[in-house]
């Protein structure tokens, strides 16, 4: 979604609601100044976490290989329960 400064100022609350509910940024064009965007805090945290994970070239390569495998569907999907069992991470039930 994009708008200019004057309508953004008049409808600021609804633009904030839109950014929060859709996770889409709202770009505000300003005459004579750099454009800005309203982004939900949750989306901003998610973007920052993604950037952090991709900052390391080794980690970025590992993540991109995993994404490629997932998109190729060459690996059979497994449940979290099955993965926990495969790696010895089963949760044990404590007796009371």
């Amino acid at each position: 979604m994009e708008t200019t400064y004057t309508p953004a100022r008049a409808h600021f609350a609804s633009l904030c609601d839109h950014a929060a509910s859709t996770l889409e940024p709202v770009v505000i064009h300003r005459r004579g100044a750099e454009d800005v965007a309203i982004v939900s805090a949750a989306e901003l945290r998610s973007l920052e976490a993604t950037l952090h994970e991709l900052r390391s070239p080794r980690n970025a390569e590992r993540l991109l290989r995993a994404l490629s495998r997932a998109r190729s569907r060459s690996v059979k999907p497994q449940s979290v329960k099955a993965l926990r069992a495969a790696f010895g991470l089963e949760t044990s039930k404590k007796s009371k």
Side-chain angles (χ1 to χ4, degrees):
M1 173 179 250
E2 297 186 19
T3 188
T4 57
Y5 180 80
T6 300
R9 194 173 67 182
H11 304 285
F12 188 71
S14 65
L15 293 175
C16 290
D17 291 342
H18 177 80
S21 66
T22 65
L23 301 180
E24 279 183 25
V26 176
V27 177
I28 301 171
H29 300 287
R30 301 183 304 158
R31 188 178 16 205
E34 188 172 351
D35 294 347
V36 296
I38 300 171
V39 182
S40 81
E43 186 67 5
L44 179 60
R45 284 189 292 274
S46 175
L47 290 168
E48 289 173 333
T50 301
L51 286 173
H52 177 76
E53 294 296 327
L54 294 173
R55 198 166 280 137
S56 156
R58 186 173 169 186
N59 199 42
E61 184 180 326
R62 182 184 64 79
L63 291 169
L64 292 173
R65 275 195 320 267
L67 179 61
S68 179
R69 280 193 313 271
R71 285 185 172 162
S72 72
R73 299 190 185 273
S74 60
V75 178
K76 181 182 174 188
Q78 293 180 297
S79 69
V80 173
K81 184 178 180 181
L83 288 169
R84 285 184 171 281
F87 290 98
L89 300 172
E90 301 101 89
T91 55
S92 60
K93 293 184 180 181
K94 295 182 180 180
S95 59
K96 290 185 179 182

